[in-house]
Amino acid sequence: MRHLHGRRRARPLLRRLALTGTALLAATSAIPEAAASDRGSGPSGGGLSAVIRYTENGIPHILARDYAHLGFGTGWAQAADQVCVLADGFLTVSGERSRWFGADGVPDGSLSSASGNLSSDLFFKGVRDSGTVEKLLAVPAPAGPGKEVKELMRGWAAGYNAWLAQNEITDPACKGAGWVRPVTATDVAARGLAVSVLGGQGRAVDGITSARPPGTAAAPGAAAPDTTGADPAAGVDPAAGVDPAAGPEPAAGIDPAAAAEAARAFFDTARYDMGSNAVAFAGSTTANGSGLLLGNPHYPWQGGRRFWQSQQTIPGELNVSGGSLLGTTVVNIGFNEKVAWSHTVATGTPVNLHQLALDPADPTAYLVDGKPEKMTTRTVSVRVAGGAPVTRTQWWTRYGPVLSGLGGGLPLPWTTTTAYALADPNAVNLRGSDTALAMGRARSVAGVQDALRRTQGLPWVNTVAADSAGGTLFTQSQVLPRITDELAARCSTPLGRATYASSGLAVLDGSRGDCAPGSDPDAVQPGIFGPGRAPTLRDAAYAENSNDSAWLANAEQPLTGYERIWGTVATPRSLRTRGALEDVSAMADRGGLTVADLQEQQFANRVPAGDLAAADAAGACAALPGGTATGSDGAAVDVSAACGVLAAWDRKADGTSRGALLFDRFWRKLTASTAAKDLWLVPFDATDPVRTPRTLNRAAPGIGRALADTVTELRAAGIAPDAPLGEHQFVVRGGQKLPVGGGTEALGVWNKIEAPWNAAGGGYPEVVHGSSHIQAVGWDGGRCPVARTLLTYSQSSNPNSPHSADQTRLFSQERWVKARFCERDILTSPRLKVVWPRERR
C-alpha cells in the first residue's frame, strides 16, 4: 500500500503543477503501481520537492511547479547518478584538493588546466576569498544572472544535499569519503564560473599562481611556473630606467616567431579535449519541410565535463530535453517541441594580454598614461594534507591577473621593466545558464538568436540550431574581448603583432588608456563585442561547424568580414571540417532528408584521410624495393603485407573495418613527421578549400619510415595488420569488451574518438574523449519532436549503477535511444519508475 499512498499524495502536487494540463493529470493517474519507486513517499508541506519519472536508460523527466523546485529535482537526480564526480568538482572550486589529496596529487582537469592540486587550490581559493562569485550574483540582469537561474541554483543545492542526507553512497570512488559534503547555491555558481573561464583564466592557472615580482625567491612547494627554464630577468638590465611616455619595451627574452607558434598551438581547437560537430538542415532539404539537427559534441568521457541527460518541465513555462554539463542547473544542448540546438567549440580567442610598463621604482606598480597604479594582491592560504598550510600572493591589475606564461610554450617573464596581465571577460560572466534557459524556452531559430542576444552568456562555443518551420541558424555568439583589427594594429606591442596574426591573441600596450578594448552599444557587459558583430548565418540550406572558424559554415555562402579574434578566413580547414562539408552538402543536394539520414551520418564512420591518401599510400608501399622500408631506428622492415591491407581497406572506421587500425597508426606517424607542404602535391587553394590540399606525395620520405614503424609496432603488440578495428579500439565495462568505431582528429572522422595507444592493453583500450551527447532531431507535424539520442558513456559513473554502461553498449552497437518527450510517451514507458524526492525539515 505504500506505493499507492505515495501516488495519492502526489496527485495534489501534480494538479497544482499541471495548471490547465487535464490530459497530464489523467495520464499520471494511470501510472502502474509497479512503476512507483520504493525510495520514498510523495511530498508533503514545506520544503522543495519534484516529481521524477525515469524511463529507459535511467533518463529522468523532472516535473516541478517552479524554478526552485525544478532545480531541486535536477540536483537530486544528478546526485543519484554522479555524486562522486560532482563532489570532486565542488572540492575543486572550494580550493581544498590539497587538503584531502595532497599538494602534488592529480588535479581536477575538468575545471581547469592546473598542473597540480596546489596551483588549482591557490587559484580557486583566491576566487572564493575575494568574494568574486557573490559579487557576480549580486549584479542585476542582464549583466548578471536572472531570478530564475538563481532559483534553479538554490533548488539544485537543496536537491543535491537532500539526496546526500537521504541516501547511502554506493560508488566506490567516494563511498565513506569525508570530502563529500553538502553544498550551497554559491558553490553551484562557483562551478558555473569555472566552466565560464575554462578557455581563459582556467587555462592559465599555473601562470597566475606562479607569477611573482623579480627578485622574489620561490618558496618551497610553490606552484610550478609555466615557463620552462626562463630567467625572469633574462636580458634585462636591472638598473635600466623606463620612459613613462615610451610604453612597454620589446619583450625581453621572447622570440616573436616562437611566441607566435606557441600561441597558435595554445589556441588550436584541434588540440583541445573538447570539440564538436553540428549541422542544421533547412526545410528545403527535408522530406516534410521541417528542419533537422544533428549534434555530435566531443567531450571527455570521464570527470566533471561529462554530459547528463534529462527532461525539465514546468507546465506552461518550460519543457526541454537534452544534455547538461554536470553541476549545471539547465539543459545546455537539447530540444523542445519547436526548436533544437547544439554547440561546437569556437575559434574565438576569449582572452587578451596587456603588456605592462612597470614603475622603475616598484615592479609591483605599472604605468597608465604616465601615472603609476599599484597592483592589488590576493594572499591565499591553502591547507595541505600532512603539512603546514601554504600561503601565496597573487598579483592583480585593472586588466586582470599578472601571469608568468600561457602554457609551457609561451613564457611571459615578469622583469623589472615589464609584466603581463591576462584580460578574460568571462571572469565576470555568470550568464551561461541564463542563455541555456532562454534557448530552452525559444520557439524558433529566431527565438534562439534572440535568447543569445539578450543574455550573451556563451563563453567559448558556437550555436547551430534548426526549427520545426524549416529554419536554420549558425552563430558564433560568444563572449570575446572587443579587440578589433584596428585596435590591434594601433595598440599591439611587438609581441602582440606576432601573436595576433597567428592566433588572435592580442598583446596590447597596457601603458595607454586608449588601448583598452571598447564596448559595443548592444553588449550587456563592458569590453566585449555585441551580438551584432558575431559571425551569423540564417536559413541556409545547411549550417555546419566542426570547430574551424565561421568562414565555411556553409561552403556555398562563406562568412567573411569579421575581426581576426573571431577566427580565420581563407585558411586551410581540418580534415574533419572538409569531410563534414562534403557529407552534409551532398545530403542537402540529395534532399528528402529525415532523422534516419542524420543517424546514418553519425555512424557512417567515413575516414576522409583514407579517401585522400590510402590508395596512394598503398601504391607507394607496393613500389618499395623488395617490399622493405627503413624504420626510424635504421632497421629494414618487411612491409609487404601492409600494402595489400591498405589497398583493400574499406576507408571506414567501423568496428569491423580491416586495415583501419593499420592506416590510423601509419597516418598519425606520417603527419607528425611530415609538413603539409611536403605531404601533398596539390597545395591549399582558398578558392577550393574543401578539396585542397590533396594528392599524396608518394615520394615523401616519411611514407616508408611511417610504414616501417607502424608494421614494427603492430608486430610487437601481436596485432595483425588486417585486424578489425573494434578488436583493438574498445572499452571494457562490467568485464565486457565493447568495440568502439570512429577515429581520431587527424583522420577527419565525424564520429570522433580519442583513445591513448596502449600496446600492452591491446591497442586503444579506453576512450578519453570524443562523441558524447549525440542527438538527431526533427519534426513530423505532430505535437512531439522526432528525436533519437545517445549518451555514449551512459548516465552514471558509478560502476554499481545499472546505467553505468547501458548506453555505451548501444553506442558500441550503433543503436539509438528513442527520446520520450511527450507525456504519453513518458507514461507508457515499460521501464517507468516514479520518485517524489522532497526536503525533510
Side-chain angles (χ1 to χ4, degrees):
M1 293 298 294
R2 180 172 60 175
H3 299 311
L4 181 58
H5 177 65
R7 285 170 50 210
R8 286 174 175 166
R9 296 180 66 184
R11 284 176 181 168
L13 169 67
L14 288 177
R15 288 192 182 97
R16 292 193 298 272
L17 289 171
L19 302 176
T20 61
T22 305
L24 173 61
L25 285 172
T28 304
S29 67
I31 296 173
E33 288 188 24
S37 168
D38 61 0
R39 287 193 282 171
S41 59
S44 57
L48 298 174
S49 61
V51 176
I52 306 175
R53 289 86 58 80
Y54 286 94
T55 58
E56 292 91 332
N57 307 110
I59 298 172
H61 304 260
I62 304 161
L63 183 64
R65 65 165 64 95
D66 59 27
Y67 287 102
H69 289 76
L70 183 65
F72 178 87
T74 304
W76 174 287
Q78 282 195 25
D81 287 325
Q82 295 285 353
V83 63
C84 292
V85 176
L86 289 166
D88 187 69
F90 286 120
L91 196 68
T92 298
V93 297
S94 67
E96 294 193 316
R97 298 190 67 81
S98 297
R99 173 188 174 189
W100 293 96
F101 306 136
D104 298 323
V106 178
D108 176 7
S110 70
L111 293 176
S112 84
S113 62
S115 61
N117 282 338
L118 181 58
S119 60
S120 174
D121 290 341
L122 289 169
F123 174 76
F124 285 109
K125 188 75 160 33
V127 172
R128 301 306 291 270
D129 289 352
S130 65
T132 297
V133 178
E134 292 85 349
K135 293 172 186 174
L136 293 178
L137 286 170
V139 175
K147 178 182 177 180
E148 294 92 346
V149 165
K150 292 178 186 177
E151 286 291 277
L152 281 166
M153 291 177 181
R154 178 175 73 87
W156 196 102
Y160 177 86
N161 294 341
W163 189 91
L164 284 181
Q166 298 173 34
N167 292 273
E168 179 182 353
I169 295 174
T170 62
D171 188 339
C174 67
K175 183 177 181 179
W179 47 268
V180 181
R181 296 170 295 179
V183 300
T184 66
T186 303
D187 294 321
V188 178
R191 189 179 186 121
L193 182 62
V195 171
S196 188
V197 301
L198 272 174
Q201 287 185 7
R203 298 193 69 204
V205 166
D206 286 351
I208 293 168
T209 58
S210 66
R212 61 186 186 274
T216 304
D226 285 272
T227 54
T228 303
D231 179 356
V236 178
D237 178 4
V242 175
D243 178 359
E249 52 185 42
I254 301 178
D255 174 30
E261 173 55 26
R264 186 202 64 76
F266 187 79
F267 292 104
D268 181 3
T269 56
R271 303 189 183 198
Y272 292 0
D273 65 351
M274 294 189 302
S276 301
N277 306 303
V279 60
F281 289 103
S284 60
T285 72
T286 68
N288 61 8
S290 295
L292 291 170
L293 178 99
L294 174 59
N296 171 224
H298 305 146
Y299 275 57
W301 276 38
Q302 293 86 26
R305 267 181 279 148
R306 284 170 59 127
F307 283 106
W308 175 83
Q309 288 179 287
S310 72
Q311 181 176 1
Q312 295 184 319
T313 304
I314 301 174
E317 171 72 15
L318 175 73
N319 194 13
V320 61
S321 184
S324 305
L325 287 177
L326 286 177
T328 60
T329 63
V330 291
V331 169
N332 301 110
I333 290 175
F335 59 92
N336 59 35
E337 60 267 37
K338 295 293 184 182
V339 67
W341 75 95
S342 195
H343 296 307
T344 61
V345 175
T347 57
T349 304
V351 296
N352 71 279
L353 296 172
H354 292 267
Q355 187 172 327
L356 308 177
L358 302 181
D359 186 332
D362 183 359
T364 64
Y366 56 101
L367 304 174
V368 180
D369 296 331
K371 298 179 181 179
E373 289 189 15
K374 189 72 175 175
M375 296 177 187
T376 59
T377 58
R378 289 183 182 177
T379 300
V380 182
S381 184
V382 170
R383 295 173 66 179
V384 177
V390 174
T391 301
R392 297 285 181 269
T393 299
Q394 300 165 30
W395 302 84
W396 290 69
T397 71
R398 63 158 67 181
Y399 307 113
V402 178
L403 74 169
S404 63
L406 278 176
L410 184 54
L412 299 167
W414 187 346
T415 72
T416 55
T417 59
T418 304
Y420 298 87
L422 179 71
D424 180 359
N426 285 296
V428 292
N429 171 21
L430 205 54
R431 301 182 300 275
S433 292
D434 292 81
T435 299
L437 179 60
M439 287 195 292
R441 294 189 295 203
R443 312 300 292 172
S444 65
V445 294
V448 169
Q449 194 171 3
D450 181 65
L452 292 165
R453 177 191 61 78
R454 287 185 288 105
T455 59
Q456 297 173 40
L458 298 182
W460 33 263
V461 292
N462 307 301
T463 300
V464 178
D467 65 28
S468 61
T472 63
L473 171 69
F474 164 85
T475 182
Q476 191 180 347
S477 296
Q478 64 173 128
V479 173
L480 294 180
R482 191 182 178 280
I483 308 294
T484 64
D485 292 348
E486 181 278 329
L487 177 65
R490 177 167 54 86
C491 289
S492 288
T493 66
L495 175 61
R497 285 193 285 274
T499 60
Y500 187 69
S502 70
S503 67
L505 176 66
V507 186
L508 303 179
D509 184 347
S511 70
R512 293 169 51 189
D514 67 338
C515 287
S519 293
D520 284 336
D522 57 341
V524 301
Q525 171 185 328
I528 67 171
F529 283 106
R533 303 289 290 271
T536 300
L537 182 66
R538 273 287 301 275
D539 295 332
Y542 70 85
E544 194 279 339
N545 185 263
S546 292
N547 306 128
D548 271 312
S549 71
W551 177 43
L552 295 185
N554 183 295
E556 289 74 44
Q557 298 176 245
L559 290 170
T560 60
Y562 47 85
E563 312 290 345
R564 173 63 186 87
I565 194 170
W566 294 93
T568 59
V569 170
T571 58
R573 305 290 90 176
S574 72
L575 278 178
R576 182 157 54 86
T577 291
R578 291 171 62 185
L581 288 170
E582 288 174 334
D583 290 350
V584 303
S585 61
M587 292 169 69
D589 289 343
R590 186 174 75 244
L593 301 177
T594 67
V595 169
D597 293 295
L598 305 183
Q599 294 175 263
E600 183 178 346
Q601 167 62 19
Q602 175 60 40
F603 287 118
N605 286 334
R606 182 173 77 87
V607 180
D611 287 339
L612 284 169
D616 284 326
C621 179
L624 290 168
T628 300
T630 302
S632 298
D633 59 359
V637 179
D638 181 358
V639 299
S640 56
C643 307
V645 174
L646 288 174
W649 171 44
D650 63 6
R651 313 294 193 261
K652 292 185 177 183
D654 288 332
T656 56
S657 295
R658 294 182 179 273
L661 183 65
L662 172 70
F663 184 82
D664 169 279
R665 298 305 299 165
F666 160 75
W667 191 249
R668 291 178 195 240
K669 298 177 193 304
L670 178 62
T671 53
S673 62
T674 306
K677 65 181 178 61
D678 300 320
L679 191 63
W680 305 107
L681 294 178
V682 179
F684 171 71
D685 180 353
T687 66
D688 190 13
V690 178
R691 297 176 62 249
T692 60
R694 65 175 185 270
T695 311
L696 186 70
N697 177 13
R698 294 190 181 193
I703 291 179
R705 183 170 59 250
L707 283 167
D709 290 347
T710 299
V711 169
T712 299
E713 176 184 64
L714 295 181
R715 185 177 295 146
I719 299 174
D722 65 345
L725 176 63
E727 289 186 5
H728 301 283
Q729 182 170 278
F730 59 90
V731 297
V732 177
R733 298 292 185 268
Q736 181 183 8
K737 182 176 177 180
L738 305 176
V740 174
T744 186
E745 178 70 26
L747 297 175
V749 184
W750 175 284
N751 183 24
K752 179 174 172 176
I753 290 295
E754 297 294 345
W757 179 253
N758 180 352
Y764 295 121
E766 184 54 75
V767 177
V768 293
H769 73 274
S771 293
S772 54
H773 178 261
I774 309 166
Q775 59 178 10
V777 185
W779 296 267
D780 61 4
R783 295 177 54 212
C784 308
V786 179
R788 302 292 183 269
T789 67
L790 194 56
L791 189 63
T792 58
Y793 35 67
S794 305
Q795 277 284 84
S796 178
S797 58
N798 179 358
N800 295 313
S801 167
H803 306 300
S804 65
D806 50 355
Q807 292 197 65
T808 311
R809 285 189 286 271
L810 293 178
F811 179 65
S812 174
Q813 298 162 10
E814 300 184 358
R815 295 169 56 200
W816 295 73
V817 175
K818 181 180 179 180
R820 294 183 178 273
F821 185 84
C822 286
E823 283 297 310
R824 67 173 183 268
D825 297 320
I826 297 169
L827 298 174
T828 56
S829 168
R831 297 296 181 90
L832 182 65
K833 180 174 68 174
V834 184
V835 298
W836 292 274
R838 71 184 190 278
E839 282 187 293
R840 293 177 180 170
R841 294 184 173 178

